[in-house]
Amino acid sequence: MQSNEKNGRDFYALAWRWHFYAGLFVAPFMILLALTGIVYLFKPQLDALLYPQLLRVEAGAQMRSADQLLAGVRQAHPQAAVSQYLPPSEAGRSAQFVIGEEGRQWNLFVDPYSGRELGRQDAQLNLQAVARALHGELMVGTVGDRLIELAAGWGIVLVVSGLYLWWPRGRAASALFWPRLHLRGRPLWRELHVLAGFWGSLLLLFMLLSGMTWTGYWGKQFADVWNRFPAAMWNDVPTSDMQAGSLNSASRQQVPWPLENTPLPRSQPPAADAHAEHRGHSAQAGHAMPMDMPMPAGIPLQRVVDIARERGVAAGYGIALPSGMEGVYTISVFPDDPRHDATLHIDQYSGKVLADVRWQDYNAVARSVQMGVVLHEGKLFGLGNQLLMLAVCLAILLSSASGLWIWWKRKPAGRLGVPPLRHELPRWKSGIAIMLALGVAFPLVGASLLLVWALDWLVLSRLPVVRRVLA
């Protein structure tokens, strides 16, 4: 009996130590992800509040065609390269072009009835673009993406170890589910930390796992294994050596997750111009071409808009314009209900639809991921979904901030305050199994777990000087 009690205390100390390490690393990332997530969560409301002069127009009798609007943009910005067009989603809404000018990307807003330019915003430095880039890769590219992936993986370690520490051990049932508000100081903060973590644990795990599908390493490997379309779908389609995911960026998404690892089709220039790749980019994309070289004729932009309407693409879609002589038009829409997803690739010369991928073409994994993405972003069931995800974000903020505060108040002056580790610990089979499972499922996390374990067990806990600093 005494041996079992001792083992229980030792396991608790071990879980507490790993919870400490995970929390110290993860907490700053969790705070950042929660804050940027709240910003992106309420994108529709914030955009309407911050940019009404760019988004709303007085509805007129007749909208101008997409080509008339494009001509106006090219006349006003002759050196700009137009990369995307977003038609008005409804009457009284502006049209939008994404242009590259003077080394920067701009969102250009146009009145679809008069053709008047309403204004522009930096496509990479507006509130939503910055929040999205910070949320996905800390605005530092691949290194940031890997750090976010590590933080998400260690967040799972944090939740698992936190639930073990929370598990009832002779306490009253009421104390497990509701804070004892009569407490004061650090004990009250501990109560809030524990219960915020407990009540938010399942949704936090969902947020972490659904977010991992967007990461550059694990997310890509996961997609390569589980996200498959029948190879025959591309048999009769000329394809490039690029994937559709190349159209996405940290600040803007053009194709959905299920399509990211699919081949990007290519347009076939007219026979007389099949060798003319060096002549420049398509005029529809707004790229300049030498005046003495004839340009192959391409379909008008309005024809692409008509194809979207004829094919029943939901309102709110965007059109990526061709890049290069073999580039394609890409229509994509991300509706609140993912069952209305649509991604179309169109030959820029013939107007032939090279690919038309819908919800019914997704496999079970792709459907689950895409449904999780929409739920993660708070779009699946309107305001209720937003408020649910807001509650999760607030629980993350409360748990992270209270955990840091508890540590700061508990730690001895001039020391880190790491929970002690006994070297004669018996093997914790369940804990080892959980760590192995996490390491196999998430390789970056597994590698970091081994590194931290080796550093902690073999070095930090054995050197007297280091132990005094950490204690």
Side-chain angles (χ1 to χ4, degrees):
M1 179 65 73
Q2 290 181 348
S3 176
N4 289 338
E5 290 179 358
K6 178 181 180 297
N7 288 348
R9 289 193 300 269
D10 289 343
F11 291 150
Y12 187 91
L14 179 62
W16 186 19
R17 190 176 179 93
W18 279 93
H19 190 76
F20 173 85
Y21 282 139
L24 208 58
F25 170 65
V26 166
F29 291 98
M30 290 294 105
I31 291 172
L32 174 66
L33 292 175
L35 292 174
T36 54
I38 291 173
V39 172
Y40 193 71
L41 187 64
F42 290 96
K43 182 181 187 301
Q45 293 90 335
L46 289 173
D47 282 352
L49 179 66
L50 296 174
Y51 316 116
Q53 74 283 4
L54 299 178
L55 300 176
R56 304 298 307 185
V57 298
E58 184 177 347
Q62 181 68 40
M63 288 188 185
R64 297 193 174 192
S65 72
D67 294 287
Q68 289 175 315
L69 298 177
L70 177 59
V73 169
R74 294 186 65 195
Q75 183 177 2
H77 304 272
Q79 302 302 316
V82 182
S83 60
Q84 191 174 13
Y85 171 58
L86 289 79
S89 57
E90 61 184 14
R93 301 285 293 191
S94 63
Q96 181 181 341
F97 290 89
V98 180
I99 67 172
E101 188 175 38
E102 298 175 351
R104 301 175 71 179
Q105 293 289 312
W106 300 93
N107 296 327
L108 202 66
F109 298 87
V110 178
D111 186 328
Y113 301 96
S114 67
R116 178 174 62 91
E117 186 176 318
L118 302 172
R120 67 180 185 175
Q121 64 178 193
D122 193 303
Q124 295 174 319
L125 294 179
N126 65 78
L127 177 63
Q128 292 298 329
V130 169
R132 183 182 178 90
L134 283 171
H135 200 80
E137 57 179 34
L138 306 177
M139 298 186 74
V140 292
T142 301
V143 173
D145 174 85
R146 300 300 187 266
L147 285 173
I148 291 293
E149 181 174 332
L150 275 174
W154 274 88
I156 297 173
V157 175
L158 195 68
V159 173
V160 172
S161 59
L163 288 174
Y164 177 81
L165 295 174
W166 166 88
W167 195 258
R169 293 175 179 83
R171 289 182 294 167
S174 60
L176 299 176
F177 303 101
W178 190 254
R180 293 170 289 181
L181 298 178
H182 65 276
L183 298 174
R184 292 293 181 268
R186 194 169 72 88
L188 176 60
W189 280 105
R190 182 183 180 280
E191 288 283 299
L192 296 175
H193 173 78
V194 170
L195 292 177
F198 166 71
W199 286 111
S201 58
L202 290 180
L203 283 173
L204 177 55
L205 281 175
F206 162 77
M207 296 285 273
L208 292 170
L209 291 172
S210 59
M212 287 283 277
T213 61
W214 296 333
T215 57
Y217 181 76
W218 186 88
K220 185 178 185 306
Q221 305 304 318
F222 179 79
D224 288 343
V225 172
W226 294 104
N227 185 31
R228 298 285 184 178
F229 289 90
M233 180 179 287
W234 314 103
N235 281 352
D236 300 323
V237 177
T239 57
S240 67
D241 57 359
M242 300 176 64
Q243 292 188 331
S246 63
L247 298 174
N248 291 338
S249 67
S251 57
R252 185 183 299 274
Q253 185 177 14
Q254 182 61 43
V255 297
W257 181 87
L259 272 292
E260 285 189 342
N261 64 343
T262 59
L264 184 65
R266 59 182 175 85
S267 297
Q268 293 183 300
D273 295 286
H275 62 286
E277 172 64 24
H278 67 279
R279 296 181 182 177
H281 292 174
S282 168
Q284 261 72 25
H287 298 285
M289 295 183 68
M291 296 300 294
D292 60 342
M293 292 186 179
M295 294 183 296
I299 62 173
L301 181 58
Q302 183 60 43
R303 176 59 190 140
V304 183
V305 175
D306 293 339
I307 290 173
R309 184 186 66 253
E310 293 164 3
R311 296 251 173 168
V313 177
Y317 63 87
I319 302 173
L321 277 66
S323 176
M325 296 284 288
E326 294 187 344
V328 294
Y329 285 102
T330 297
I331 301 172
S332 58
V333 64
F334 307 98
D336 294 348
D337 186 344
R339 293 174 297 179
H340 298 146
D341 274 10
T343 305
L344 287 72
H345 299 297
I346 301 169
D347 188 296
Q348 64 170 303
Y349 305 106
S350 66
K352 179 182 178 182
V353 177
L354 302 174
D356 184 349
V357 185
R358 308 295 178 110
W359 171 264
Q360 57 266 28
D361 300 310
Y362 298 171
N363 63 23
V365 172
R367 291 184 182 186
S368 299
V369 169
Q370 198 63 6
M371 189 68 74
V373 166
V374 177
L375 182 61
H376 185 113
E377 294 178 339
K379 300 193 301 184
L380 188 58
F381 48 92
L383 181 60
N385 195 168
Q386 288 180 305
L387 294 177
L388 177 63
M389 294 299 105
L390 173 63
V392 178
C393 291
L394 293 178
I396 292 171
L397 289 173
L398 176 58
S399 187
S400 299
S402 59
L404 290 173
W405 178 252
I406 294 167
W407 162 69
W408 186 258
K409 298 295 289 185
R410 180 186 63 82
K411 78 178 190 67
R415 300 185 181 183
L416 195 58
V418 179
L421 176 67
R422 296 176 59 87
H423 287 282
E424 65 273 18
L425 278 175
R427 287 179 298 172
W428 183 21
K429 296 180 181 179
S430 298
I432 293 174
I434 291 172
M435 293 301 182
L436 285 176
L438 287 173
V440 172
F442 308 105
L444 280 183
V445 176
S448 65
L449 282 171
L450 287 175
L451 178 63
V452 172
W453 174 82
L455 188 64
D456 184 40
W457 184 266
L458 301 176
V459 181
L460 300 182
S461 63
R462 296 178 184 272
L463 297 178
V465 175
V466 177
R467 290 178 64 180
R468 283 196 296 272
V469 174
L470 295 179

